[in-house]
Amino acid sequence: MLKGKMLSPNDKKLEKLDPFYRPSMSKQKTSAEIISEARNALRTVGTQRPFTPREDQRKLFGPASSRTLENRPPSSFSLHASSFESSDSRPISGARLCPLELKPKAPASPTTEEDPSLAFPKPPVDPAKIRRISSARARLFRAASQGALLPDRTLPPAESKKTVASKETVVMGDAMVKINGIYLTESNATGHLKSRPLQLTYDGGVSEIKKQEMFKGTTSLPSHLRSGGDQGKRRSRASSCFNSSDLSRPETRAVSKGDVQEQETEVEVDEVFWNTRIVPILQELEKEEDIEMICASCTQLHHALEEGNMLGNKFKRRSVLLKTLYKLVDIGSDLLSLKLAKIILALKVSRKNLLNVCKLIFKISRSEKNDSLIENDSILESLLEVLRSEDLQTNTDAFLYCMGAIKFISGNPRFLNEMISKDAVEILMNLIKQINENTKKCGTCLPNSGHLLVQVTATLRNLVDSPLARSKLLSISALPQLCTAMGQYEADKDVCTNIARIFSKLTSYHDCCVALANYSRCYALFLKLINKYQKKQDLVVRIVFILGNLTAKNNQAREQFSKEKGSIPTLLSLFHTFYKLDLCAEKRAAGAEQPQAPRPRAQAEDVLIKLTRVLANLAIHPGIGPALAANPHAVGLLLATLEHKSIEDCEELVINATATINNLSYYQVKNSIIQDKKLYIAELLIKLLVSNNMDGILEAVRVFGNLSQDHDICDFIVQKNVHKFMIALLDAKHQDICFSACGVLLNLTVDKDKRVILKEGGGIKKLVDCLRHFGPTDWQLACLVCKTLWNFSENIISASSCFGDEDTNTLLVLLPSFLDEELALDGSFDQDLRNYHKLQWETEFKPVAQQLLNRIQSHHTFLEPLPIPSF
């Protein structure tokens, strides 16, 4: 006699081994594996990723942020030209400088000849002139004249700019050093070069650069733009020709005249480029009033600066450039502001100016309509360069608004490919790594770093939608770094929620899920966060969803999680908390005359859906399932859910809870609460059987398949006419439902007194029809049908009296044809599926079908030849 659980034959064979674990593989599952997993009595449960609503407004922190308005940086602010500092020198280091050994010699006698290269400060602009120009331009002049902008760096007073004669000389090789007509000793030259940047000439006929030569062929320039202005002859190349360290060495070598001539030639070329290419554009910017023309001039200026190698912070006239650019900020055009910001960032501003230019871009990027402007001006590359090259600790606030702008940009799918191609993933992960290291070094979480981390993780959340971004994250081992940040900033709910959203997306993909599952520290971290934020639905629902993904296909992950201290009690405590919240929400909704928003109930229900999924997945492990089946708290919560929820209102929750009970009912252990409450469970399942939900019916039939191994449940099935329902399901034309229903009928036919029920409702005919329809494609189902017919015909006297003439003849035709390997396996399957079918046919179907055929043939008198059916 054949008897068994509601298991496929393949499952029974695996019972002795490990029916639950399948190694993680990066390759796609074969069709045979898909079919095999679908038939397992212990099944994982799927669910949807928690929904994250799109924020209506672009802000640093959304409406769901845990930060109060007082404890977070503002997203709205005013920004004007006066916000910038015209002096952008490096901050004072605080180090004491060593005194010079020798002071420069005092001038012998001042001359009355004024150095033409030096200019006096401009007087304030006449108010009458301001009234005659446009209002927009007036604001700019007023800002400059009233002192809103700090003055540029200036040279020493005029009286110190006279040329003097000196009697002291020093010979260096074949050349003597003469500085503006003064011959200095080595130490004097050193001090003089340090005290004031002057032009170097040498004996041997090298002529000084004249002011009129600089402006040959050019128009008259404003004093602040002339080459002889405040930065006139302070070229870095010239001033660095002789530094103090070079001149103070005992082994100082001779400076050749050719080298100096080359240096002066470079200075002269730069001066000519500045006056012929840059100055005319600056003049246009100061007098132009048309926005489009100003924007065109800014583009032209950027190209010219790049061509002249004048970008960066080494260019001595950058303060003149920056002053001009800062003034244009007040015009208030988003397009112009982006072009200005791009040039300002290229000039490598620092401190307050870097913060303000990042704020300027952030302010523009808050409006989605400006996305096209950002895309056209390629400002993204400039922002990423800030994160790549600037110092994090010095510019945390600037990084915050820079990242805020990048976050807004990343929310537009059009930018994803560009961001990833520009190494945004690597840059952001490097930033997270720096924050982790700084936090570990300081021993505390700095508020500003937390604000920044929120922006970085929110941006990564958008990027991981791209397969390329996910691949990069795996290649640089980013998941452990994200876990570290989550652990260090566990008190920052915004950071934890963003990282949980990242993991929710990543673990939906097999490779990423395996990578996180292999990081063993993540389980304790997730449990700690569940305990800390137990009533924070938006965070815990994602953590539980992640745990469901990790435990879905990985037996090692199930075991690792279960070994963590308090893992199962934590899940059950969370289950209890949200079960109560759901009941309270349900009561409030029932008491309200016009319930407006069942949102809290839906949120609590979503957590319960994800929780039951984790429990169902954990129950697959042979070391966890029996313990859960014997846990009164766990089983009690599952049964309470089925008792109070209807599949019409809470479909996914009811189906998940039933699937969990199905997995637990698989274990026939002495202290199983499932076995103790089997009749109560059977009563609850009847509600599902009479529903119109086929998924719910299937789960209920599966539970009955496991429970029907018990004699009391078999009696219950017959008393409640559940067997008639099972026979009716054989007509469902649904392979999984027919398979499960046939399993219940198989267990019923173990009892001789109940075999007669197969004749009710045409049970034999429907079993034969299932064999005909599904046999060639589903040998497991065909095997179950043959086993059921074998049990039914144990005391056969005549095949016709047992099965009926029509069904007997059909079996005598079908079974020989199915036992013919060429006919049975002549299907249009791929090779893998064909091999799978052949294995099932040889090991499961063939032995049982051959015995059944022999029995029928031995108890049947053939009257006429039987035709061979076609398939």
Side-chain angles (χ1 to χ4, degrees), residues 425 428-433 436 453 456-461 464 469-470 473-474 476-490 495-504 506 512 516 519 521-522 525-526 529:
V425 173
L428 297 186
M429 284 311 307
N430 183 59
L431 198 56
I432 291 177
K433 184 178 179 181
N436 288 341
L453 201 53
V456 178
T457 52
T459 306
L460 276 176
R461 180 193 67 204
V464 295
R470 295 193 295 270
L473 286 173
L474 291 178
I476 60 178
S477 301
L479 274 60
Q481 285 292 342
L482 289 171
C483 286
T484 300
M486 203 177 200
Q488 290 181 339
Y489 286 82
E490 64 179 43
V495 172
C496 293
T497 302
N498 278 349
I499 297 178
R501 285 171 173 167
I502 295 172
F503 286 155
S504 294
L506 290 178
C512 298
L516 184 59
Y519 184 68
R521 296 183 182 179
C522 72
L525 172 63
F526 293 150
L529 291 174

Side-chain angles (χ1 to χ4, degrees), residues 628-695:
L628 281 175
N631 189 314
H633 194 193
V635 176
L637 288 169
L638 292 169
L639 297 183
T641 301
L642 289 183
E643 182 180 355
H644 292 96
K645 296 294 182 181
S646 67
I647 196 167
E648 290 79 16
D649 295 334
C650 311
E651 177 182 355
E652 190 174 0
L653 176 57
V654 171
I655 291 175
N656 283 7
T658 308
T660 307
I661 291 174
N662 173 59
N663 286 356
L664 296 179
S665 67
Y666 173 83
Y667 300 100
Q668 306 292 322
V669 290
K670 292 182 179 180
N671 57 347
S672 171
I673 306 299
I674 296 291
Q675 296 301 317
D676 292 345
K677 296 182 177 293
K678 56 183 178 291
L679 291 176
Y680 177 62
I681 294 172
E683 289 280 1
L684 293 176
L685 293 176
I686 291 178
K687 291 194 306 181
L688 288 178
L689 288 178
V690 298
S691 70
N692 294 322
N693 189 298
M694 292 304 294
D695 291 332

